[in-house]
């Protein structure tokens, strides 16, 4: 997970003019996107199997079986990656005694992310050979976030979750920040605009993710996500959501990560509860350049 393992290891083995990390840099299991790319010529696959219940009342609810699949590939520049995100949903809908099953790719997206600023790029921290105390002081540069931008197209395939007159293809944009507060703790924010070119269905959202690595292999995260929607002329009730999530990751090796997570919505109907397991895997790449010593 990008917030977890880059927070623990990103600057150890960080390369001049590069974003390659010794350990896998995954977006899972949170739903936020990290600022750093997977690095040029690396292919990364992140997949998850989940279950979700949308409860309106005891007599009306939806049970979902969800499959998430994300492909990330770094190309042209170290700061650039292309992302394909697929979400498949098999739903069992129960309304009193009536049952209905339907399934589809609820939403798919294709886009590109580019990191426009990193305070540690081309930076080499100097040690004070005369003062141990000076070397142990907190490095305030850590609080300066890396910043990336994302632009992509959303393809909406399930009318049960979107207004029927919403365009099937819409534009999505995102501003991403990532801070490594210390060697174990990191904070990621995503500011999101969806349906950007459509005045009737434009919506805004955010994701804030705090991650902590408490050992070399185990890490934990907590996340809050919110949406602000105003769909003009739509009778269906697409309310704003506030969602809380949390979970754990386990680093099997430097190229493979396993995860488990869960979440719930607050203050809205339907009440949503979900859980998911997943894995992230990448092709490996070896750099020959001289590494730059990271933060301690």
């Amino acid at each position: 997970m990008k917030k977890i393992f880059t927070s623990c290891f990103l600057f150890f083995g960080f390369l001049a003019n590069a974003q390659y990390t010794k350990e896998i840099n995954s977006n899972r299991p949170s739903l936020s996107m990290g600022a750093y790319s997977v690095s040029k010529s690396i292919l990364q696959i992140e997949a998850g199997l989940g279950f979700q219940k949308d409860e309106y009342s005891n007599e009306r609810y939806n049970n979902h079986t969800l499959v998430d699949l994300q492909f990330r590939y770094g190309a042209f520049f170290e700061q650039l990656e292309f992302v394909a995100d697929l979400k498949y949903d098999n739903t069992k809908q129960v309304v009193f005694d009536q049952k209905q099953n339907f399934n589809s790719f609820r939403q798919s997206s294709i886009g590109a992310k580019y990191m426009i600023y990193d305070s540690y790029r081309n930076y080499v921290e100097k040690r004070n050979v005369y003062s141990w105390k000076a070397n142990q002081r907190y490095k305030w540069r850590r609080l300066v976030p890396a910043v990336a931008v994302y632009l992509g197209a959303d393809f909406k395939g399930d009318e049960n979750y979107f207004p029927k007159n919403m365009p099937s293809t819409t534009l999505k944009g995102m501003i991403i920040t990532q801070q490594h507060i210390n060697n174990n703790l990191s904070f990621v924010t995503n500011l999101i605009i969806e349906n950007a070119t459509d005045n009737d269905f434009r919506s805004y959202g955010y994701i804030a993710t705090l991650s902590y690595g408490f050992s070399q292999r185990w890490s934990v995260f907590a996340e809050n996500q919110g949406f602000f929607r105003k769909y003009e002329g739509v009778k269906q009730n697409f309310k704003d959501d506030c969602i809380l999530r949390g979970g754990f990751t386990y680093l099997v090796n430097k190229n493979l990560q396993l995860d488990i997570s869960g979440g719930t919505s607050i203050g809205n109907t339907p009440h949503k509860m979900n859980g998911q397991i997943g894995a992230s895997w990448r092709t490996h790449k070896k750099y020959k350049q001289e590494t730059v010593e990271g933060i301690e």
Side-chain angles (χ1 to χ4, degrees):
M1 182 180 175
K2 73 278 177 185
K3 284 76 63 177
I4 297 172
F5 289 108
T6 56
S7 67
C8 296
F9 308 112
L10 178 63
F11 298 115
F12 297 97
F14 196 87
L15 305 175
N17 301 313
Q19 293 188 303
Y20 180 76
T21 57
K22 288 184 178 180
E23 282 74 27
I24 187 171
N25 170 21
S26 175
N27 285 328
R28 292 192 54 83
S30 79
L31 291 189
S32 62
M33 186 178 291
Y36 293 89
S37 76
V38 293
S39 184
K40 184 179 177 181
S41 80
I42 284 185
L43 171 66
Q44 189 160 304
I45 302 173
E46 305 175 10
L49 174 65
F51 302 92
Q52 177 173 307
K53 183 174 184 179
D54 301 343
E55 187 173 33
Y56 297 85
S57 66
N58 292 334
E59 294 80 18
R60 182 188 175 192
Y61 57 88
N62 297 338
N63 288 330
H64 306 269
T65 301
L66 306 168
V67 178
D68 293 335
L69 189 59
Q70 187 174 94
F71 298 92
R72 302 170 61 189
Y73 183 73
F76 304 116
F77 310 101
E78 290 292 338
Q79 298 85 3
L80 176 66
E81 77 173 31
F82 295 93
V83 185
D85 197 358
L86 307 175
K87 299 183 184 299
Y88 183 80
D89 186 349
N90 185 306
T91 301
K92 178 181 178 181
Q93 187 179 76
V94 177
V95 181
F96 295 98
D97 294 331
Q98 302 297 317
K99 298 181 180 180
Q100 182 180 5
N101 284 22
F102 50 89
N103 57 81
S104 70
F105 282 95
R106 180 193 296 191
Q107 187 171 358
S108 305
S109 63
I110 297 175
K113 179 182 70 178
Y114 185 79
M115 194 173 76
I116 59 177
Y117 177 75
D118 179 11
S119 65
Y120 278 94
R121 189 178 181 187
N122 298 325
Y123 171 78
V124 180
E125 186 166 324
K126 297 180 180 179
R127 291 180 177 272
N128 188 330
V129 297
Y130 301 104
S131 173
W132 177 88
K133 184 177 180 180
N135 291 326
Q136 302 307 308
R137 290 173 182 166
Y138 186 77
K139 311 304 189 294
W140 294 103
R141 180 181 287 266
R142 293 177 182 270
L143 299 181
V144 180
V147 182
V149 292
Y150 170 88
L151 184 64
D154 277 343
F155 306 94
K156 298 173 172 60
D158 193 337
E159 291 185 347
N160 292 279
Y161 296 95
F162 302 100
K164 297 183 183 300
N165 53 340
M166 177 182 284
S168 59
T169 302
T170 59
L171 190 65
K172 179 179 181 178
M174 193 184 313
I175 297 174
I176 304 161
T177 67
Q178 184 166 349
Q179 295 167 282
H180 298 274
I181 299 170
N182 59 39
N183 290 340
N184 301 89
L185 186 67
S186 66
F187 184 61
V188 169
T189 60
N190 292 176
L191 301 177
I192 308 163
I193 180 171
E194 295 181 311
N195 312 320
T197 58
D198 195 306
N199 292 330
D200 291 336
F201 297 104
R202 187 178 297 117
S203 65
Y204 302 90
Y206 71 89
I207 309 177
T209 310
L210 187 66
S211 304
Y212 181 78
F214 52 85
S215 75
Q216 191 171 3
R217 294 189 180 274
W218 287 97
S219 300
V220 64
F221 84 99
E223 180 172 272
N224 174 232
Q225 181 176 12
F227 303 95
F228 306 94
R229 303 183 178 101
K230 187 178 181 181
Y231 294 161
E232 300 292 342
V234 176
K235 295 181 180 179
Q236 293 163 275
N237 190 15
F238 292 90
K239 292 184 177 181
D240 299 338
D241 283 326
C242 184
I243 301 171
L244 300 178
R245 299 187 189 92
F248 297 87
T249 67
Y250 178 74
L251 185 67
V252 179
N253 57 52
K254 62 185 177 183
N255 299 314
L256 176 64
Q257 173 191 291
L258 305 179
D259 63 71
I260 184 169
S261 62
T264 182
S265 64
I266 56 177
N268 264 338
T269 301
H271 179 230
K272 301 177 182 180
M273 298 177 290
N274 64 74
Q276 190 172 95
I277 57 174
S280 303
W281 172 85
R282 70 173 180 178
T283 59
H284 187 49
K285 177 181 179 181
K286 293 182 179 179
Y287 277 96
K288 295 182 179 179
Q289 296 99 318
E290 181 180 357
T291 59
V292 175
E293 185 176 8
I295 302 176
E296 295 184 356

